Amino acid sequence: MKLIGDMFMHLLPRFFSLLRTSLSVVLARFSSIALFALTARIFSQHDNGQFIFAITLPQLLTQLGTIGWLNLIRREVARRSEISPVIFKGFILRSFQVPMIPVLCAAVGMILYGLVREEDRSLYFCIATVITVYAVVAILREYLIALGMPALSIAASEVLPVVVTGGVVWLIQPERAAPAALAFLLGLLVSCAIQIPVVLKALRPYLNVARPTFNTRAWIRAGGLSLLGFGGRAILDRLDTLVLATLGPAVQFALYNSAQRATVLLLVAPTVLLPVFSPHVSKASARGDIALLRREMALQTLLVTLCALPLAWLLMKYPAQIMGFLFGARYEDSSQYLGLIVFSQVLFAFSLPWSNLMLMSGREAIYAYAHLLALVVVLPLAIGLVGTWGGYAVALASLISNVLLFAIFFGIGIYGLLQQDSANLAARF
C-alpha cells in the first residue's frame, strides 16, 4: 500500500496534464471511429477501403520517411536544459531539414506512380500532398509533447484533422475517396496553422543564438536506429494496409480495418501516458536516477492495467454488437477478427511504456533490432498465408509480433531496473 501511495503522490503534480491529455486522446479516438463510421455509411465498401488507404498510407510513409527523427525530437527537446544552446539550435534546424528530404522524395514517388496508373490517379496525387503536410504536423507534434504540451499536440495534430474531414464529408457527401482525402489535407493545414506559432514562441530563445553547432552525424545515427525500430513498428501496425489491401479484396480489408479501429481504445492509456511521462523518463535516465525510473515504469504499468483490461473484456463479451453499433450491420462480420486483435492490442498496450524506456534512455539499438526481428518473423507469415486465411493471417501475424516484442522490452527493462548499482545507469539504459 505504501508503494501505491508513493506512486500516486508522485503522480499528483502531473494529474491535470494527464487529465487534459486523456481527454484529448479519448476525443481523438472517438473522432476517428466516428469518421470511419460516417464513411462506412456513405461510401461503398470498395471506396471506403480506398479512403482508409489514402489516410493510413501517408501516416506509414511519414513514420518511415522522417528516418527516426520523431523519437529523437522528443528525447532531445526534453533534455534541452542540459544541452548547450548552440548545439540545441543546430538540432532544431536539422530536425526539420533532414527528415523532410526523404518525405519529399516519397511524395514525388506517389506522383510518378499516379501518372502510370490508368485509374485512381487523383487519389495518388492527393496522397502525395497529404504525405508532405502530414510530416510537418508530425514534427510539430513531437515538439509540443517535449515542450510539455501533450494535450495541445494531440488535439491539434489528431483531433482537428479528423473533425475537419468528418465535417466536410458530412456536408458534401462525396461519391469517391479523393475528395474525402482532400478534406483530410485541409484539416492538416489547419493543424499546422495552430501548432507553428506555439512552437516558434517556445523555441525563440534558442533560435536567437547566433551561430549553431551541428552534431549531424550522431543525430543521424540515433535517428537511423530509431528508424529501424519505429519503421518496423509502423509496418507491423499497418500490416493490413501493406498485405491485406494489396493482396486481398478491398471488402475484406475494410472489414479487418474496422475491427482494428474498434480496439483503439485499448491503447488510450499508453497513448496518454507516453507524451506525459516521456520527458521525465528521458531526464531520469540522463541523470542516473534509478529510483525515479522505477516509480515511473511501475506507475505506467499499473495505469495501463486499470484502463486496458476492462475495455478488452467488453470487446470480447459483445463483439458483433459493438461492430454493428459502430459501423453498421454490414460490418458485423468483422467481429470474427476481434478476439485475436484484442489480445494483440492488449500486449501492445503493455509493451509501449517499456519500449519507450529504450528510446528515452538511449537504447535505440535494442528497440531497433527487436522490431527488425519481429518483422522478419511475421511479414513472410502474413504474406504467405493471406491468400488462404485472409484477415486471419494478418491478425495472427500481429499477435505473434506483439508477444515477441513485449517479452523483449519487458524482460530487458525489468532486468535493468532491478539492478541496485545506479552508477552505470546511463550506460545500462
Side-chain angles (χ1 to χ4, degrees):
M1 291 299 295
K2 184 178 183 301
L3 176 61
I4 295 176
D6 289 344
M7 286 192 297
F8 277 103
M9 288 301 295
H10 179 64
L11 175 65
L12 192 59
R14 275 178 263 168
F15 173 76
F16 291 106
S17 179
L18 281 170
L19 180 61
R20 290 191 298 269
T21 307
S22 299
L23 292 175
S24 296
V25 170
V26 171
L27 184 58
R29 296 299 174 261
F30 276 111
S31 299
S32 177
I33 292 174
L35 172 61
F36 289 103
L38 175 65
T39 60
R41 287 166 170 80
I42 293 177
F43 295 142
S44 67
Q45 289 182 321
H46 173 76
D47 286 317
N48 195 35
Q50 282 196 322
F51 173 66
I52 295 170
F53 180 71
I55 297 300
T56 56
L57 183 62
Q59 296 173 7
L60 172 61
L61 293 178
T62 295
Q63 301 297 344
L64 298 176
T66 48
I67 53 176
W69 278 66
L70 297 181
N71 287 315
L72 193 61
I73 288 169
R74 186 180 299 191
R75 189 185 74 190
E76 294 300 307
V77 176
R79 299 178 178 183
R80 62 191 178 278
S81 60
E82 301 175 11
I83 300 175
S84 168
V86 294
I87 294 179
F88 187 63
K89 179 178 180 179
F91 177 80
I92 293 172
L93 298 177
R94 288 290 187 260
S95 67
F96 284 92
Q97 296 165 352
V98 176
M100 286 304 298
I101 293 174
V103 167
L104 291 173
C105 291
V108 172
M110 286 293 103
I111 293 174
L112 295 176
Y113 183 71
L115 290 174
V116 301
R117 289 182 63 88
E118 296 182 358
E119 57 183 26
D120 301 329
R121 287 182 179 177
S122 60
L123 183 66
Y124 283 92
F125 294 160
C126 292
I127 290 174
T129 310
V130 169
I131 290 169
T132 305
V133 182
Y134 189 85
V136 177
V137 170
I139 292 172
L140 293 171
R141 177 182 186 273
E142 293 304 319
Y143 266 97
L144 288 177
I145 289 173
L147 291 168
M149 294 176 274
L152 176 61
S153 73
I154 295 168
S157 64
E158 297 185 34
V159 178
L160 189 59
V162 171
V163 170
V164 170
T165 305
V168 172
V169 169
W170 182 75
L171 286 173
I172 67 175
Q173 300 278 308
E175 296 181 356
R176 303 300 301 274
L182 286 176
F184 185 68
L185 174 63
L186 175 63
L188 293 175
L189 291 173
V190 175
S191 174
C192 285
I194 291 175
Q195 292 187 86
I196 288 174
V198 178
V199 172
L200 284 178
K201 181 180 179 180
L203 297 180
R204 187 169 291 117
Y206 302 98
L207 294 173
N208 289 334
V209 175
R211 298 178 63 86
T213 299
F214 300 99
N215 290 336
T216 307
R217 181 178 297 179
W219 293 330
I220 289 178
R221 179 184 180 278
L225 288 171
S226 294
L227 170 64
L228 285 176
F230 206 68
R233 180 70 258 176
I235 293 174
L236 292 170
D237 288 342
R238 301 300 179 189
L239 276 179
D240 59 332
T241 302
L242 292 174
V243 177
L244 194 54
T246 55
L247 301 178
V251 171
Q252 195 168 78
F253 171 59
L255 290 173
Y256 181 92
N257 191 269
S258 64
Q260 189 175 47
R261 290 185 181 278
T263 66
V264 295
L265 292 179
L266 294 172
L267 302 178
V268 166
T271 305
V272 171
L273 296 173
L274 294 188
V276 175
F277 280 78
S278 290
H280 300 277
V281 173
S282 178
K283 291 179 182 178
S285 64
R287 296 171 181 171
D289 191 343
I290 194 168
L292 178 58
L293 271 179
R294 288 170 180 165
R295 290 198 299 269
E296 297 283 346
M297 298 310 300
L299 183 55
Q300 289 183 82
T301 303
L302 175 62
L303 291 175
V304 170
T305 302
L306 294 176
C307 295
L309 294 187
L311 288 171
W313 175 84
L314 187 64
L315 288 166
M316 295 292 290
K317 182 73 172 178
Y318 307 104
Q321 295 90 327
I322 290 175
M323 296 306 303
F325 173 77
L326 292 176
F327 302 105
R330 291 183 300 171
Y331 287 81
E332 287 185 1
D333 288 345
S334 60
S335 62
Q336 61 188 304
Y337 306 121
L338 209 54
L340 288 173
I341 294 177
V342 166
F343 190 19
S344 177
Q345 292 286 67
V346 167
L347 288 172
F348 183 30
F350 277 104
S351 70
L352 274 172
W354 296 93
S355 64
N356 188 61
L357 174 63
M358 304 294 111
L359 289 171
M360 293 299 107
S361 55
R363 300 295 293 274
E364 297 93 354
I366 292 175
Y367 183 81
Y369 298 141
H371 281 97
L372 187 61
L373 174 63
L375 197 60
V376 169
V377 170
V378 305
L379 189 57
L381 176 68
I383 294 175
L385 295 178
V386 70
T388 54
W389 288 11
Y392 286 110
V394 177
L396 180 61
S398 297
L399 175 59
I400 293 173
S401 68
N402 283 323
V403 169
L404 180 62
L405 291 171
F406 173 75
I408 292 173
F409 294 137
F410 183 76
I412 293 175
I414 285 292
Y415 174 77
L417 294 179
L418 290 179
Q419 304 301 309
Q420 298 301 315
D421 180 17
S422 63
N424 296 320
L425 179 66
R428 194 164 60 245
F429 280 113

Coordinates of all heavy atoms in Angstrom, one line a residue, residues 35 38-39 42 163-174 183:
L35 N -15.5 9.2 -37.7 CA -15.2 9.5 -39.1 C -15.4 8.2 -40.0 O -16.1 8.3 -41.0 CB -13.8 10.0 -39.3 CG -13.3 10.2 -40.7 CD1 -14.2 11.2 -41.5 CD2 -11.8 10.6 -40.8
L38 N -18.9 7.2 -40.3 CA -19.6 8.0 -41.3 C -19.2 7.6 -42.7 O -20.2 7.4 -43.6 CB -19.2 9.5 -41.1 CG -19.7 10.5 -42.1 CD1 -21.2 10.6 -42.1 CD2 -19.0 11.9 -41.9
T39 N -18.0 7.4 -43.1 CA -17.6 7.0 -44.4 C -18.1 5.6 -44.8 O -18.4 5.3 -45.9 CB -16.1 7.1 -44.6 OG1 -15.4 6.2 -43.7 CG2 -15.6 8.5 -44.4
I42 N -21.5 6.2 -46.1 CA -21.6 7.0 -47.3 C -21.0 6.3 -48.5 O -21.6 6.2 -49.5 CB -20.9 8.4 -47.1 CG1 -21.7 9.2 -46.0 CG2 -20.8 9.1 -48.4 CD1 -21.0 10.5 -45.7
V163 N -11.8 15.9 -37.3 CA -13.0 16.6 -37.2 C -13.3 17.4 -38.5 O -14.5 17.4 -39.0 CB -13.0 17.5 -36.0 CG1 -14.2 18.5 -36.0 CG2 -13.0 16.7 -34.7
V164 N -12.3 18.1 -39.0 CA -12.5 18.8 -40.2 C -12.9 17.9 -41.4 O -13.8 18.2 -42.2 CB -11.2 19.6 -40.6 CG1 -11.3 20.2 -42.0 CG2 -10.9 20.7 -39.6
T165 N -12.2 16.8 -41.5 CA -12.5 15.8 -42.5 C -14.0 15.3 -42.4 O -14.7 15.3 -43.4 CB -11.6 14.6 -42.5 OG1 -10.3 15.0 -42.5 CG2 -11.9 13.6 -43.6
G166 N -14.4 15.0 -41.2 CA -15.7 14.5 -41.0 C -16.8 15.5 -41.3 O -17.8 15.2 -41.9
G167 N -16.5 16.8 -40.9 CA -17.4 17.9 -41.2 C -17.6 18.1 -42.7 O -18.7 18.2 -43.2
V168 N -16.5 18.1 -43.5 CA -16.6 18.3 -44.9 C -17.3 17.1 -45.6 O -18.1 17.3 -46.5 CB -15.1 18.5 -45.5 CG1 -15.2 18.6 -47.0 CG2 -14.5 19.8 -44.9
V169 N -16.9 15.9 -45.2 CA -17.5 14.7 -45.8 C -19.0 14.7 -45.5 O -19.8 14.4 -46.4 CB -16.9 13.4 -45.3 CG1 -17.7 12.2 -45.7 CG2 -15.4 13.3 -45.8
W170 N -19.4 15.1 -44.3 CA -20.8 15.1 -44.0 C -21.6 16.1 -44.8 O -22.7 15.9 -45.2 CB -21.0 15.4 -42.5 CG -22.4 15.4 -42.0 CD1 -23.2 14.3 -41.9 CD2 -23.2 16.5 -41.7 NE1 -24.5 14.7 -41.4 CE2 -24.5 16.0 -41.3 CE3 -23.0 17.9 -41.7 CZ2 -25.5 16.9 -40.9 CZ3 -24.0 18.7 -41.3 CH2 -25.2 18.3 -40.9
L171 N -20.9 17.3 -45.1 CA -21.6 18.4 -45.8 C -21.7 18.1 -47.3 O -22.8 18.3 -47.9 CB -20.8 19.7 -45.6 CG -21.0 20.4 -44.2 CD1 -20.1 21.5 -44.1 CD2 -22.5 20.8 -44.0
I172 N -20.6 17.6 -47.9 CA -20.7 17.5 -49.4 C -21.0 16.1 -49.8 O -21.4 15.9 -51.0 CB -19.3 17.9 -50.0 CG1 -18.2 16.8 -49.6 CG2 -18.9 19.3 -49.5 CD1 -16.9 17.1 -50.2
Q173 N -21.0 15.1 -48.9 CA -21.4 13.7 -49.3 C -20.7 13.2 -50.6 O -21.4 12.9 -51.6 CB -22.9 13.6 -49.4 CG -23.7 14.0 -48.2 CD -23.8 12.8 -47.2 OE1 -24.2 11.7 -47.5 NE2 -23.5 13.1 -46.0
P174 N -19.4 13.2 -50.6 CA -18.7 12.8 -51.9 C -19.0 11.3 -52.3 O -19.2 10.5 -51.4 CB -17.2 13.0 -51.6 CG -17.1 12.8 -50.1 CD -18.4 13.3 -49.5
A183 N -10.2 16.7 -48.1 CA -10.8 17.2 -46.8 C -9.8 17.0 -45.7 O -9.6 17.8 -44.8 CB -12.1 16.6 -46.5

